[in-house]
């Protein structure tokens, strides 16, 4: 099975003074189409505003840097949620929910979007529907239809619908007010991966926070799980695979390291250096392992199931520790002495292995 798994960086789709929207194309990263996964980033400069949109795909949004405000309107809700967001925050956004994003601060705000495009118009790409601007939905309706829908004169409709010159992202003027965020609107919708309890914490090895239906109930609605992994300098992440037929979509947040992926018939399908800003996808049941460079490595991943289960092939929790000695000895066609040596290793380390 020949496939291109090489990590890729995104390309700008549109933007302006207020910021930019970049995305990964399945033409460049074919596994996006195979896995029906979309991936994009939103960058907002100071006072940058991403106008209301909805998408044909459910997503997990992860704040890579900065802080700002997100507006979220749930279908048939009478009032939007206005959520303060900051670096490390993760939100699950079901398809059809209207969102807007605003950066009131001096430093940039960058948000990563990873999601499921299997129900979308274009497998491997998000299709976002803008409510305003030159590409807004209502530019396609005749003035008569919009006038009837909004109970406005056609003259007023023209002023509203055709008054924006920028597509999607604009820079708001100083002094232009925006809604204040509500702390209670974060409840049940946001988890901060830097503040949440660690699911795994190995001294000198690394740590992980897993997002699932227990700590972020909305991932059940989007059908995705996610995690943030921080691997210490020189440490290794155990070879392992998703045992529930899920794809792993990984974005390197910062740092760098090496990755190997092995697939069908023991063929190594990827061996490369990875660094901040790159994205790659591990096919279903393929085994992946990573080793961080001296400065360490951090990555954010989604898994195409809301409650992922992994099997590891090294360490205290690996399948080797569960398999009986006789089976190991027969499978490896080795001596009992070497089998005992093999079993005696990695009895306390789980998932992350510190450098020697």
């Amino acid at each position: 099975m020949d496939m291109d798994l090489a990590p890729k960086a995104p390309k700008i789709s549109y933007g302006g003074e207020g910021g930019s929207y970049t995305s990964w194309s399945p033409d460049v990263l074919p596994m996006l189409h195979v896995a029906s996964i979309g991936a994009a980033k939103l960058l907002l400069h100071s006072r940058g505003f991403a106008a209301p949109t909805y998408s044909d795909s459910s997503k997990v949004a992860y704040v890579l840097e900065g802080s700002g405000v997100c507006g979220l309107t749930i279908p048939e809700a009478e009032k939007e949620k206005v959520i303060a967001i900051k670096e490390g925050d993760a939100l699950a956004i079901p398809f059809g929910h209207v969102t807007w994003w605003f950066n009131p601060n001096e430093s940039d705000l960058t948000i990563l979007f990873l999601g499921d495009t299997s129900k979308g118009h274009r497998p491997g790409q998000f299709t976002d529907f803008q409510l305003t601007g030159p590409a807004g939905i209502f530019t396609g309706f005749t003035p008569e239809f919009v006038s009837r829908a909004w109970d406005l004169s056609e003259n007023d409709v023209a002023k509203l619908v055709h008054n924006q010159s920028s597509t999607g992202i604009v820079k708001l003027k100083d002094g232009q007010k925006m809604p204040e965020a509500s702390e209670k609107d974060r409840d049940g919708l946001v988890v901060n991966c830097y503040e949440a309890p660690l699911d795994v914490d190995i001294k000198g090895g690394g740590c992980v926070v897993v997002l699932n239906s227990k700590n972020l109930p909305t991932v059940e609605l989007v059908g995705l799980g996610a995690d943030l992994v921080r691997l210490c300098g020189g440490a290794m992440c155990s070879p392992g695979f998703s045992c529930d037929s899920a794809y792993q979509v990984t974005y390197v947040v910062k740092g760098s390291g090496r990755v190997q992926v092995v697939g069908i018939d023991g063929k190594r399908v990827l061996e490369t250096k990875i660094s901040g800003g790159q994205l790659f996808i591990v096919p279903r049941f393929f085994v992946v392992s990573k080793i961080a460079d001296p400065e360490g490595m951090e990555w954010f991943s989604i898994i195409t199931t809301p409650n992922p289960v992994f099997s590891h092939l090294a360490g205290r929790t690996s399948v080797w520790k569960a398999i009986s000695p006789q089976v190991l000895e027969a499978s490896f066609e080795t001596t009992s002495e070497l089998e005992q040596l093999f079993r005696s290793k990695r009895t306390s380390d789980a998932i992350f292995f510190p450098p020697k």
Side-chain angles (χ1 to χ4, degrees):
M1 178 183 286
D2 292 328
M3 56 183 68
D4 179 10
L5 301 182
K8 300 291 194 306
K11 293 185 177 180
I12 293 179
S13 298
Y14 59 86
E17 189 180 3
S20 62
Y21 181 86
T22 59
S23 62
W24 283 263
S25 167
D27 294 332
V28 177
L29 189 57
M31 279 301 299
L32 290 172
H33 185 277
V34 174
S36 290
I37 292 294
K41 285 200 299 186
L42 174 65
L43 166 65
L44 293 179
H45 302 310
S46 179
R47 304 290 299 169
F49 171 60
T53 64
Y54 64 91
S55 178
D56 66 350
S57 303
S58 295
K59 309 172 183 176
V60 173
Y62 179 71
V63 182
L64 295 170
E65 64 173 348
S67 59
V69 181
C70 167
L72 174 65
T73 301
I74 299 170
E76 300 185 349
E78 295 183 357
K79 186 178 180 181
E80 67 181 355
K81 303 279 189 181
V82 183
I83 305 165
I85 56 173
K86 60 183 179 180
E87 182 176 348
D89 277 352
L91 305 82
I93 305 171
F95 56 71
H97 286 45
V98 175
T99 59
W100 55 262
W101 309 82
F102 176 57
N103 178 13
N105 305 302
E106 291 299 319
S107 57
D108 287 344
L109 169 64
T110 306
I111 303 152
L112 172 72
F113 299 99
L114 301 174
D116 174 18
T117 65
S118 61
K119 294 182 174 65
H121 289 278
R122 297 175 294 181
Q125 276 186 294
F126 298 134
T127 300
D128 295 326
F129 295 84
Q130 299 177 4
L131 299 189
T132 62
I137 288 293
F138 288 96
T139 61
F141 284 102
T142 62
E144 176 198 1
F145 270 60
V146 183
S147 174
R148 288 282 300 274
W150 291 352
D151 193 23
L152 292 173
S153 69
E154 291 190 13
N155 185 51
D156 287 335
V157 164
K159 293 177 182 178
L160 284 174
V161 173
H162 301 290
N163 200 41
Q164 306 92 41
S165 58
S166 299
T167 299
I169 301 172
V170 298
K171 183 172 183 177
L172 300 186
K173 297 177 182 179
D174 290 340
Q176 185 168 350
K177 292 186 177 181
M178 293 293 285
E180 293 288 334
S182 169
E183 187 63 31
K184 65 181 177 61
D185 283 349
R186 284 178 60 94
D187 294 345
L189 295 176
V190 184
V191 169
N192 187 275
C193 295
Y194 293 134
E195 299 174 355
L198 298 173
D199 292 278
V200 177
D201 186 12
I202 307 295
K203 184 177 181 180
C207 58
V208 59
V209 170
V210 177
L211 304 179
N212 52 37
S213 58
K214 294 180 181 179
N215 56 9
L216 189 60
T218 45
V219 300
E220 195 79 55
L221 298 176
V222 303
L224 300 168
D227 58 33
L228 178 73
V229 177
R230 285 170 279 175
L231 195 60
C232 299
M236 181 184 198
C237 182
S238 167
F241 64 95
S242 171
C243 57
D244 43 14
S245 191
Y247 290 93
Q248 300 175 59
V249 186
T250 298
Y251 175 84
V252 182
V253 176
K254 61 183 71 171
S256 61
R258 292 176 290 143
V259 61
Q260 292 186 1
V261 178
V262 175
I264 298 170
D265 294 328
K267 181 179 179 181
R268 189 186 317 124
V269 293
L270 180 65
E271 180 178 15
T272 191
K273 177 82 174 275
I274 50 176
S275 57
Q278 292 184 319
L279 181 90
F280 69 98
I281 299 174
V282 179
R284 295 177 299 168
F285 299 108
F286 282 35
V287 177
V288 59
S289 182
K290 310 176 189 76
I291 296 177
D293 285 340
E295 74 271 24
M297 184 166 56
E298 180 176 318
W299 65 85
F300 183 81
S301 297
I302 65 164
I303 303 93
T304 56
T305 179
N307 295 292
V309 179
F310 289 94
S311 285
H312 294 277
L313 300 178
R316 177 174 53 82
T317 58
S318 75
V319 297
W320 301 121
K321 303 304 183 187
I323 293 176
S324 61
Q326 298 89 338
V327 172
L328 285 184
E329 189 175 324
S331 300
F332 282 122
E333 296 185 23
T334 189
T335 64
S336 60
E337 290 78 15
L338 185 54
E339 185 281 326
Q340 291 172 13
L341 177 64
F342 173 64
R343 185 178 293 276
S344 70
K345 301 296 184 179
R346 299 292 187 204
T347 56
S348 59
D349 299 327
I351 304 178
F352 304 126
F353 309 140
K356 292 184 179 180

